């Protein structure tokens, strides 16, 4: 028996023995995870600095505190979620009663990416534990310090009989995916997403795939452009653009495009100063493979600002490209880096058609004051989410389901939706032993 087979068998035995089901166990795990995040703020900040050059305030806000808020919501929801929900039924013998019980699935696998390596490992884990499952977490090998830290700390704080961390890259992931899990929760690119789904199909294991894609931003004419540029720049260049919810490209009409250009330059200057290379809040590209890929996208359109890069430090300046043709290389793949192409369209009709002709994105963003434009964007496009007025903020609200559609993913999680992902809704129907004529 391989080590991984033995590991999953051990977790399965713990689940089968009922260890993870009681509400008290779930609460204890969530509380311990919260304590871990609170106690090891320095360790987390340091790991994220080493992995991604992330500043301490940003690291704590988007990784530790972010997960803590999710845990607090899950703790609030737990009693309600675990209570059987009575359902009046028709079509059954007289006197029948029914309730829906949210039951845990068993042993689940969480495969996490490198770009928010703590947050995107622990948010799904918190949901899995809250729903009463045993779990294996596979952090990303591309954020090695964060991966090591999670491997060291999680077994110290969480129940080691029911929670395990397996470190490693594609080989470790493949070894895990060969095991039978009851759910696989994967966050990352669509290429690996296909591998994950194929492996899960062998065991008929359901999957949640949190993928990415090219999320457009429609900028309407007559919006306050200085304000728009500031919000756009903040969302696009956080973590050097390496965020699944980052705005990928801008669609706007030629007049607005010209007026937006200087505002974007001003907003960048305001956020990162005259030299972003020395700005403490500006990140680096995760590895040379991604760096080379991004530099290869710089030739599209006209460079408004940025373009400066240094392979040794994997620094790529915040870059805005104007008049980018729809078929330019930068428009053919998810950018996932600090390059913002602006593509011109005649107006809303063309923007809606443009978005709809491409793979379904994780989000459609828009800056507009026009009610009819909002309605058209909501009804006329298909995406994981629609956000008006401030890109990327949807991740801040754990009350909202977070997930993609089509090429941007399968399934959605966060808060109550995480509990649904990691539970089976089991109807329990009770027909009185003696009621009416026997059937
Ligand atoms: P990735 O697909 O390269 O890797 C993600 C995970 O898959 C890692 O743990 C990695 O070890 C594992 N993996 C790599 N190769 C594998 C293989 N052959 N078999 C099995 N597992 C394998 O993704 P990435 O580069 O880390 O992340 C970038 C992508 O993820 C972007 O497309 C981005 O939009 C997306 N993303 C989505 C979300 C979301 O919540 N929707 C969040 C972050 C990133």
């Amino acid at each position: 028996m391989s080590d991984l087979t033995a590991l999953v068998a051990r977790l399965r035995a713990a689940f089968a023995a009922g260890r993870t089901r009681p509400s008290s166990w779930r609460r204890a795990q969530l509380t311990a995870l919260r304590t871990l995040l609170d106690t090891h703020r320095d360790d987390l900040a340091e790991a994220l600095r080493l992995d991604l050059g992330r500043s301490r305030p940003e690291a704590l806000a988007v990784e530790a505190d972010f997960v803590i808020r999710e845990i607090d919501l899950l703790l609030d929801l737990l009693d309600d979620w675990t209570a059987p929900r009575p359902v009046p039924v028709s079509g059954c013998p007289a006197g029948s009663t029914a309730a829906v019980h949210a039951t845990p699935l068993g042993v689940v696998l969480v495969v996490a990416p490198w770009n928010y390596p703590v947050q995107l490992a622990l948010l799904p884990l918190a949901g899995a534990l809250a729903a009463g499952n045993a779990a294996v977490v596979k952090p990303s090998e591309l954020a090695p310090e964060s991966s090591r830290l999670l491997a060291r700390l999680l077994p110290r704080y969480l129940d080691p009989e029911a929670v395990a961390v397996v470190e490693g890259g594609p080989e470790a992931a493949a070894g895990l995916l060969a095991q039978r899990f009851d759910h696989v929760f994967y966050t990352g690119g669509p290429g690996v997403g296909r591998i994950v789904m194929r492996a899960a199909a062998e065991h008929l294991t359901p999957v949640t795939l949190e993928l990415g894609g090219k999320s457009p931003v429609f900028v309407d004419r007559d919006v306050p452009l200085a304000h728009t540029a500031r919000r756009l720049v903040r969302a696009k260049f956080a973590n050097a653009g390496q965020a699944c919810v980052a705005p990928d490209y801008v669609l706007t009409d030629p007049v607005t495009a010209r007026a937006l250009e200087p505002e974007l330059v001003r907003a960048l200057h305001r956020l990162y100063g005259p030299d972003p290379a020395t700005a403490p809040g500006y990140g680096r590209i995760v590895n040379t493979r991604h760096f080379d890929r991004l530099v290869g996208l710089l030739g599209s359109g006209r460079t408004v600002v940025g373009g400066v890069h240094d392979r040794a430090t994997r620094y790529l300046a915040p870059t805005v490209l104007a008049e980018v043709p729809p078929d330019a290389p930068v428009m053919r793949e998810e950018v996932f880096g600090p390059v913002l192409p602006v593509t011109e369209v005649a107006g809303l009709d063309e923007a809606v058609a443009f978005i709809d002709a491409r793979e379904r994105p994780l989000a459609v963003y828009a800056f507009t004051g026009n009610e009819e434009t909002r309605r058209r964007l909501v009804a006329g496009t298909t995406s994981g989410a629609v956000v008006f007025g401030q890109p990327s903020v949807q991740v801040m609200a754990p009350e909202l389901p977070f997930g993609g559609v089509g090429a941007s993913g399968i399934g959605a999680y966060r808060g109550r939706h995480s509990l649904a992902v990691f539970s089976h809704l089991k109807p329990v129907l009770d027909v009185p032993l003696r009621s009416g004529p026997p059937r």
Side-chain angles (χ1 to χ4, degrees):
M1 194 191 279
S2 81
D3 288 356
L4 292 178
T5 308
L7 170 73
V8 177
R10 185 162 62 78
L11 300 187
R12 193 166 288 291
F15 177 75
R19 189 178 178 91
T20 64
R21 284 174 191 261
S23 172
S24 55
W25 183 89
R26 306 182 196 195
R27 281 190 182 282
Q29 301 311 303
L30 291 173
T31 309
L33 194 54
R34 199 184 192 293
T35 307
L36 180 163
L37 291 165
D38 239 354
T39 312
H40 294 276
R41 296 173 86 73
D42 291 345
D43 298 326
L44 288 164
E46 181 59 6
L48 290 157
R49 185 185 72 77
L50 291 170
D51 281 338
L52 295 159
R54 193 164 288 164
S55 70
R56 182 184 166 89
E58 195 191 340
L60 294 180
V62 299
E63 308 267 0
D65 293 337
F66 201 93
V67 181
I68 286 176
R69 282 201 304 124
E70 178 88 6
I71 290 173
D72 288 345
L73 178 65
L74 288 168
L75 284 167
D76 273 354
L77 292 170
L78 205 51
D79 284 346
D80 182 45
W81 184 257
T82 46
R85 205 168 297 283
V87 179
V89 283
S90 59
C92 299
S96 297
T97 57
V100 172
H101 295 233
T103 57
L105 297 173
V107 186
V108 306
L109 172 64
V110 173
V111 181
W114 52 267
N115 62 335
Y116 289 90
V118 175
Q119 185 208 110
L120 293 174
L122 298 190
L123 283 181
L125 175 65
L129 299 177
N133 297 282
V136 178
V137 178
K138 213 290 288 159
S140 171
E141 74 285 8
L142 298 184
E145 295 295 331
S146 305
S147 172
R148 246 192 304 282
L149 190 65
L150 291 178
R152 180 162 69 81
L153 294 180
L154 287 178
R156 262 174 58 191
Y157 282 81
L158 301 181
D159 179 358
E161 293 299 310
V163 184
V165 179
V166 173
E167 288 194 83
E171 223 167 273
L176 282 167
L177 287 166
Q179 312 301 318
R180 189 175 148 259
F181 286 94
D182 298 291
H183 195 92
V184 176
F185 191 106
Y186 166 80
T187 305
V192 176
R194 285 188 181 87
I195 297 175
V196 169
M197 198 167 171
R198 225 174 273 135
E202 280 302 312
H203 300 288
L204 287 181
T205 296
V207 293
T208 301
L209 301 181
E210 294 286 341
L211 310 177
K214 290 184 82 62
S215 297
V217 188
F218 176 67
V219 180
D220 211 351
R221 47 179 66 104
D222 300 334
V223 292
L225 286 182
H227 226 74
T228 297
R230 267 184 230 159
R231 291 183 175 182
L232 198 45
V233 155
R234 209 169 265 287
K236 173 71 190 184
F237 297 102
N239 205 27
Q242 300 165 110
C244 58
V245 290
D248 191 274
Y249 64 98
V250 171
L251 285 178
T252 192
D253 64 273
V255 175
T256 310
R258 281 304 85 64
L260 184 62
E261 284 174 22
E263 296 298 348
L264 288 170
V265 176
R266 253 193 290 280
L268 277 170
H269 196 274
R270 195 183 147 106
L271 190 58
Y272 298 119
D275 182 12
T278 58
Y282 189 67
R284 297 294 181 269
I285 307 307
V286 68
N287 58 24
T288 43
R289 181 172 66 85
H290 277 291
F291 179 86
D292 292 341
R293 178 183 65 80
L294 286 163
V295 169
L297 301 179
L298 293 178
S300 310
R302 166 173 57 83
T303 304
V304 174
V305 63
V308 177
H309 50 88
D310 173 32
R311 195 168 194 264
T313 54
R314 300 192 310 279
Y315 168 73
L316 174 53
T319 300
V320 176
L321 305 173
E323 298 174 83
V324 175
D327 57 350
V330 74
M331 293 302 288
R332 282 192 235 130
E333 61 179 85
E334 179 182 2
V335 175
F336 212 64
V339 181
L340 180 65
V342 180
T343 291
E344 291 170 18
V345 286
L348 179 66
D349 287 345
E350 203 181 317
V352 168
F354 190 99
I355 295 165
D356 230 39
R358 285 161 175 78
E359 293 285 17
R360 294 170 173 182
L362 201 50
V364 166
Y365 299 120
F367 290 89
T368 177
N370 184 309
E371 232 3 89
E372 176 57 13
T373 302
R374 289 165 188 256
R375 199 197 58 74
R376 290 276 314 282
L377 283 166
V378 172
T381 64
T382 304
S383 61
V386 175
V387 181
F388 296 114
Q390 188 162 351
S392 306
V393 285
Q394 71 272 31
V395 296
M396 300 306 291
E399 297 79 10
L400 293 176
F402 181 83
V405 57
S408 55
I410 296 175
Y413 77 127
R414 302 298 302 280
R416 178 174 292 281
H417 311 284
S418 285
L419 290 166
V421 164
F422 292 112
S423 301
H424 167 60
L425 295 184
K426 179 159 73 178
V428 176
L429 182 60
D430 193 354
V431 180
L433 283 176
R434 296 170 201 283
S435 79
R439 291 204 183 194

